[in-house]
Amino acid sequence: MNSTPNAIKRDEKTGDPLFIDRRELRLRYEIPVKDIYPFFDGLREGRVLASKCKICLALYFPPQGSCPTCRKSDMDWVELGPTAKLLAVTKVYIKPQSFAEEEDYILGVGEFPEGVKALARLLFEGSRMPKIGTQMRIAVTKDSGENPLYVFVPTEPGSNEPAP
Amino acid sequence: MTKVAIVGAGISRFGRRTDANMNALAWESVSAALEDAGIEQKDIDFYSVGNVGVWSEENLPAVTVGEYAGLTPKGTMRVEAACATGSAAIKVARDSIASGSAKLAMAVGLEKMYGVPTPTIVELIGRAGNYFWEFENFGLTFPGYYALYASAYMAKYEAKEEDLALVAVKNHYYGSLNPFAQFQKQVSIDEVMTSKYVAHPLKLLDSSPITDGSAAVILADEETARRLTDTPVWIKGQGVASGSANLSKRSDFVSLDASVTAAKAAYSQAGIKNPVEDIDVATVHDCFTIAELMAYEDLGFVGRGKAVQLIRDEQTYKGGKIPVNLDGGLKAKGHPIGATGVGMAVEAVKQLRREAPKSRQADIRHGVALTHNVGGTGHYAYVTLYGLN
Ligand SMILES: [Zn+2]
């Protein structure tokens, strides 16, 4: 917030006059999760659940409450994993504002034997990037706000890529 | 479909434009397009404004631009298709003419991204996919999306980071020849390779910049086009497609399915049998270097896994088999999200009319140019073919 009475300042690089907005907008959304609430129940119990259409048996992850094929909202909930194969991976260095306080983090897409995939953090030791094709295990941990969150970890402790 | 042609095109200088607010920035290209077409605002029946926004001051850019540019009370709407917003604005304008509801329509692309600090921009673009499952929970960023593709592509086809760098070197070379480009300087492979990682394996110089800019094109039906100009640039075909919001729903990470689908549709409409033979010049969506390589394959310029060889052989330079991004591309010309697709159309028009600077003017033999505009990471795809006939 700029507290100077004059809202105009000069741009540091170009010297152009800029009016500094005195109104600030903050947004925090409230997102309904009623149709996928069993997913959050599962997460609290340390399980990652996908929704499965009772009629056509299609598996949905991320879970959704309705099947667009059958146009019905009749879902079973099934546990994923525990193993998944790494299909794509990155390490994020330039982070969004709301993640600015976190260490650089690794994200990857894992494919489960059931055919569905998930994007999640990879909690792997060492600074080398995990290789495409690496077998991983999905697990539930807590995020910085003590909320349960699913992550990928090495299949066995110590079996991850050696440090460089 | 009714024939529709571009009869006027204008573009602003791209860059960090602290000298112009949204409306003034739009006016630069709107006024140039009106001048180019030789018409007045009252002649326009409808105009669309492509703008993603949130990082800039105006929430209803279609009406604020209309008021500033003297287009009020013409009908309008704002259009959004992420980084393909500009092409979507062209689709809306083209469809309004094809439907018979307009004879002359304008498509304006506008983005003013430097209105907020960079971390806020990273935050907002990071939400350009599935907000809840991929951003809220994990903090995936926009470079991160393409980095995931790069990791899989490089593993499958044994491509190296140096190969990606070749795309940056080419596009900066052409940016250095474009006075409207954000970066008018060349870069070396070494400079790309030693730039900092943004999202591994993509580095700062693999990435298109944050950009302010605008572009505008004026579209007309056949009768009006022939009355206004001797060199109408016809829209010969436009393929559009979408991809899953969640990257975890993609079948693989070496190709953008939406690009493939859009290209097939556009080629079929325009009668393109062999893209490398039939197309004189292409602008493709190189928001990151890996995106240009995937585009070579998704657009059928080369077979799967062969994109690296095409850039190594310099076949996408002017004079090569298929010149790509002779305006510097998103990489060096800049990527004002909502303006990019319209900027591509402006470049296609200039190339086909042989009005580009000689140093970067493609050899126009068939009179056909392609633009490939992707929104998000293959969340949207627009492939458009422009032609002199
Ligand atoms: Zn079903």
Side-chain angles (χ1 to χ4, degrees), chain B residues 55 70 72 74 116 122 194 200 209 230 233-234 244 262 270 293 315 332 343 381:
Chain B
W55 33 58
T72 317
K74 304 298 183 175
V116 295
V122 177
T194 53
H200 189 279
D230 294 332
V233 171
W234 304 100
S244 68
L293 293 182
Q315 292 295 345

Side-chain angles (χ1 to χ4, degrees), chain B residues 3 164 235 298:
Chain B
K3 284 184 84 172
L164 303 186
I235 298 180
D298 292 344

Side-chain angles (χ1 to χ4, degrees), chain A residues 53-58 60 67-72 75:
Chain A
C53 175
K54 283 184 183 167
I55 300 157
C56 73
L57 308 181
Y60 293 95
C67 177
T69 308
C70 304
R71 304 185 196 176
K72 292 282 188 315
M75 292 287 182

Side-chain angles (χ1 to χ4, degrees), chain A residues 11 16 25 61 116 132 143 155 164:
Chain A
D11 183 76
D16 290 327
L25 181 65
F61 194 86
V116 293
I132 302 301
D143 70 8
T155 43

